[in-house]
Amino acid sequence: MYKIAVIGDYDSIYGFAALGLSICPVKTREETRDILRRLAGGNYGIIYITEAAAAQVESEIEEYREKTLPAIIRIPGVSGNTGAGVKGVKKTVEQAVGSDILFGGVNE
């Protein structure tokens, strides 16, 4: 059975522990990168990461985008929503179906 983890600043993620998720508070880019790689190489099927933390490790997240597992999902932190999570989902759907889900256009 796969596990679920949450990466981000402590204030944004501590509530997820009450749901039984593994929380991984981070402060630096290096911590974020190391924890992301450790979780992705482990038994984690879903990794939630705050948008702020994800912004620090975009190239590392990109390495896992084409893989089935783990699913790396951006979530807003306590500082609010930057829109990066929605943009990521939109881009993935566009690649999967070949059209813009908001405007219905066909990608060339």
Side-chain angles (χ1 to χ4, degrees):
M1 177 180 254
Y2 291 105
K3 298 184 269 185
I4 302 172
V6 186
I7 302 172
D9 61 281
Y10 181 79
D11 290 339
S12 295
I13 67 170
Y14 73 91
F16 289 97
L19 300 173
L21 306 182
S22 301
I23 62 167
C24 303
V26 293
K27 292 183 180 178
T28 67
R29 179 191 186 288
E30 291 75 24
E31 268 185 315
T32 305
R33 183 194 65 227
D34 294 345
I35 288 176
L36 177 63
R37 286 185 176 160
R38 182 175 52 83
L39 295 174
N43 206 22
Y44 287 86
I46 300 173
I47 301 171
Y48 292 106
I49 184 168
T50 62
E51 291 174 338
Q56 297 177 341
V57 292
E58 284 297 332
S59 61
E60 285 82 3
I61 290 173
E62 190 65 25
E63 292 175 26
Y64 299 104
R65 196 171 63 79
E66 297 294 324
K67 298 181 180 179
T68 305
L69 291 174
I72 300 174
I73 303 167
R74 291 168 183 83
I75 59 173
V78 293
S79 58
N81 186 350
T82 66
V86 173
K87 287 178 189 172
V89 170
K90 181 178 179 281
K91 180 180 176 183
T92 301
V93 172
E94 285 175 0
Q95 289 176 334
V97 300
S99 67
D100 187 327
I101 59 175
L102 296 179
F103 299 107
V106 176
N107 291 335
E108 295 155 18

